[in-house]
Amino acid sequence: MAKPGYGKRSAPDQRPRTRDDFALLPTRERYVAGFVDHLPDGAAMSVKTLAKQLPLYGQQAISTSLTALSVAGHLRRVRCPVTGTGDETRWVFRTFWSRTARDNEWWNTYLATEQATATAAPAPAASALDTAPPPLAPAEQPSPLPVPERPRTEQAPEPAAVSQQRTPARAPDTEPAPPATAPATAPAPAPAPAPATPHTAGTSPAYLALARLGRNDHRLTLSADDCTTLEPQAAEWIARGVSIGYLTHALTAGLPAQVDSPLGFVRRRLTDKIPPRLPAPGNPPPGAPTPTHHLLVECTDCGRPGPPQALPDGLCRPCREAHSGSVDREHSPHPADIADVKAHMSNLRDLLKPV
């Protein structure tokens, strides 16, 4: 089934599955509950998705069944805030399911715990860097071809001819080199290559930004030695999270009519206008309160959100009253009074008829 759409989350401490788990429910609710109970965690539980999977009932019947299961204490629909990049908050929707019927106090206590919040939050996607590739299977070595046997003869076999290797010409006064022998000890390992620097001289972003100042404004033309001297200060700006455009604008904005010493002018601006060091986006500043994300329960019928205490049985007040049929039940007229009113109105109509 599809992933989005009120993904299923199983509540803890459930009884083992038996044949009589939903025996007290009506036929339709028992059929829907049995199907939902066998769904894996993460499966979609929206009304439209369940209606596609259950051909016996339509969307309206599935919605009514889910409302009845919520009142019976088997499920709660929740929404959980998830903070993304740039403090952007989005909402994910989940459906907590319990094979064992729970009362409102149990649901309110469980949904207020950190365990429920962690269960409802989406799992972080594993990046390609975190996932190691599977080990490669060793390549099969081809079997050697059989060598045909030579017929035995009485004559000794002639020695195999050795191909003559071309050697460089040597001077007449030099002695021939002795034959090479196998080394007694293993050769020394090659020295490890020196770690490569992230930027070589003259190619760092800070150096290039300083070198381009003269092309943007001739009053700040710097030599190669000037760029090398100011490179550490400009690199400190970039290390604090500013962009090259921000650095260039800070150094070229509001220039005087004439700059006598571009080196001294740029050094002074790099020192006086250095930006503050901000914490990383993922690390909150020390002493900042930790944001708490609480689950909001949704009305199973209309989807209105609210705290768990405000939605007993998983329903808001209008939907709960409509479901229980208790709207003005105390002030509803008696059937006998309704019959008397109808008889009185019929008598009045007869009196208004012309003779």
Side-chain angles (χ1 to χ4, degrees):
M1 298 181 67
K3 292 182 179 179
Y6 296 98
K8 178 185 175 182
R9 295 294 186 271
S10 297
D13 303 331
Q14 301 187 43
R15 291 197 301 263
R17 184 179 288 113
T18 61
R19 297 181 59 183
D20 302 330
D21 288 331
F22 311 105
L24 301 179
L25 296 175
T27 304
R28 183 179 62 188
E29 282 72 15
R30 184 168 63 251
Y31 178 76
V32 176
F35 177 80
V36 172
D37 187 48
H38 286 78
L39 290 177
D41 279 5
M45 284 187 58
S46 63
V47 173
K48 184 177 296 185
T49 305
L50 291 178
K52 292 180 180 179
Q53 299 294 324
L54 301 175
L56 296 181
Y57 304 105
Q59 296 186 22
Q60 186 62 36
I62 295 297
S63 178
T64 305
S65 300
L66 293 179
T67 302
L69 292 175
S70 178
V71 174
H74 290 287
L75 66 88
R76 288 291 187 273
R77 291 202 187 278
V78 301
R79 59 172 64 179
C80 175
V82 178
T83 303
T85 58
D87 297 337
E88 178 183 356
T89 302
R90 59 187 181 90
W91 293 88
V92 293
F93 302 89
R94 301 287 183 256
T95 300
F96 280 95
W97 172 261
S98 174
R99 187 184 312 111
T100 305
R102 307 292 188 178
D103 55 8
N104 292 321
E105 288 74 15
W106 188 93
W107 279 114
N108 295 342
T109 304
Y110 172 68
L111 294 178
T113 60
E114 294 293 337
Q115 179 184 0
T117 305
T119 304
S127 61
L129 298 178
D130 298 336
T131 306
L136 298 177
E140 297 182 357
Q141 299 292 338
S143 58
L145 297 176
V147 179
E149 297 181 357
R150 296 182 179 179
R152 296 182 178 179
T153 59
E154 295 181 357
Q155 296 180 357
E158 296 181 359
V162 179
S163 59
Q164 299 293 333
Q165 298 181 355
R166 302 179 62 183
T167 56
R170 54 187 178 89
D173 297 338
T174 58
E175 294 286 337
T181 58
T185 59
T197 57
H199 299 288
T200 58
T203 60
S204 66
Y207 183 94
L208 296 178
L210 295 172
R212 293 192 184 99
L213 291 178
R215 299 187 179 183
N216 296 335
D217 196 310
H218 67 280
R219 289 171 290 184
L220 295 183
T221 302
L222 299 174
S223 64
D225 293 340
D226 295 343
C227 295
T228 304
T229 304
L230 299 175
E231 182 180 0
Q233 289 183 269
E236 179 65 21
W237 280 56
I238 299 176
R240 298 195 177 196
V242 302
S243 61
I244 300 299
Y246 182 91
L247 173 63
T248 304
H249 181 268
L251 297 178
T252 58
L255 293 178
Q258 182 178 357
V259 178
D260 297 330
S261 175
L263 173 62
F265 184 85
V266 174
R267 178 188 289 117
R268 184 59 181 268
R269 285 207 167 184
L270 287 174
T271 304
D272 295 345
K273 292 189 175 185
I274 185 169
R277 188 183 301 274
L278 299 178
N283 301 327
T290 304
T292 57
H293 301 294
H294 298 288
L295 297 179
L296 290 180
V297 179
E298 276 194 359
C299 177
T300 310
D301 194 2
C302 67
R304 180 179 301 175
Q309 297 79 8
L311 282 82
D313 298 334
L315 301 176
C316 61
R317 180 179 298 178
C319 295
R320 186 170 62 254
E321 291 177 350
H323 178 78
S324 60
S326 61
V327 181
D328 294 334
R329 179 175 295 178
E330 299 178 357
H331 304 284
S332 58
H334 195 270
D337 297 337
I338 296 176
D340 293 341
V341 171
K342 290 183 178 180
H344 181 66
M345 294 301 297
S346 178
N347 189 23
L348 291 178
R349 293 190 190 97
D350 295 339
L351 293 177
L352 292 176
K353 291 181 181 179
V355 179

